[in-house]
Amino acid sequence: QVVRPAGARSTPWALVEASPADLHVTAIKRAERGDSVIVRAVNLGPARVTGRITAGFDVREAHVVDLAEDRQAALTVLRGRSVEVAVRSKQIVTVELVPAR
């Protein structure tokens, strides 16, 4: 039996999820500048994938960023919470998720 505190959600919740199975989230952190969330993921599979990163919060905009968190390319936000990104085998990708207000 699962015991939940009063007011807790009855369904599972995650801050960030990635798919397909070969795409693994390796880090989640607050951006150095602003209130964005930085997500790093790696494709551990043998082939390129179109991965989906889904936030547990509403996303206003999203960008691929470099390690200094400088924006490199805008991403389209799907259904208000997800972005798709092409990731080569063994590639690490860093994404900035800007929360909706």
Side-chain angles (χ1 to χ4, degrees):
Q1 177 182 5
V2 176
V3 177
R4 292 183 178 84
R9 296 174 63 118
S10 61
T11 57
W13 182 85
L15 181 59
V16 174
E17 295 178 317
S19 62
D22 287 339
L23 188 63
H24 295 262
V25 174
T26 60
I28 303 169
K29 68 182 226 51
R30 186 173 180 174
E32 296 297 321
R33 300 177 300 268
D35 293 327
S36 298
V37 175
I38 301 297
V39 178
R40 287 198 181 95
V42 61
N43 175 8
L44 295 177
R48 178 185 177 109
V49 298
T50 298
R52 181 171 287 211
I53 296 173
T54 302
F57 54 89
D58 293 333
V59 176
R60 180 170 41 100
E61 60 184 275
H63 305 270
V64 172
V65 297
D66 61 18
L67 290 178
E69 299 179 10
D70 294 323
R71 293 177 176 174
Q72 303 297 305
L75 296 170
T76 300
V77 178
L78 307 170
R79 296 186 181 145
R81 292 190 174 205
S82 297
V83 295
E84 286 187 342
V85 61
V87 189
R88 294 183 315 271
S89 176
K90 311 306 183 224
Q91 179 187 10
I92 297 170
V93 65
T94 305
V95 174
E96 174 190 12
L97 303 174
V98 181
R101 297 282 174 224

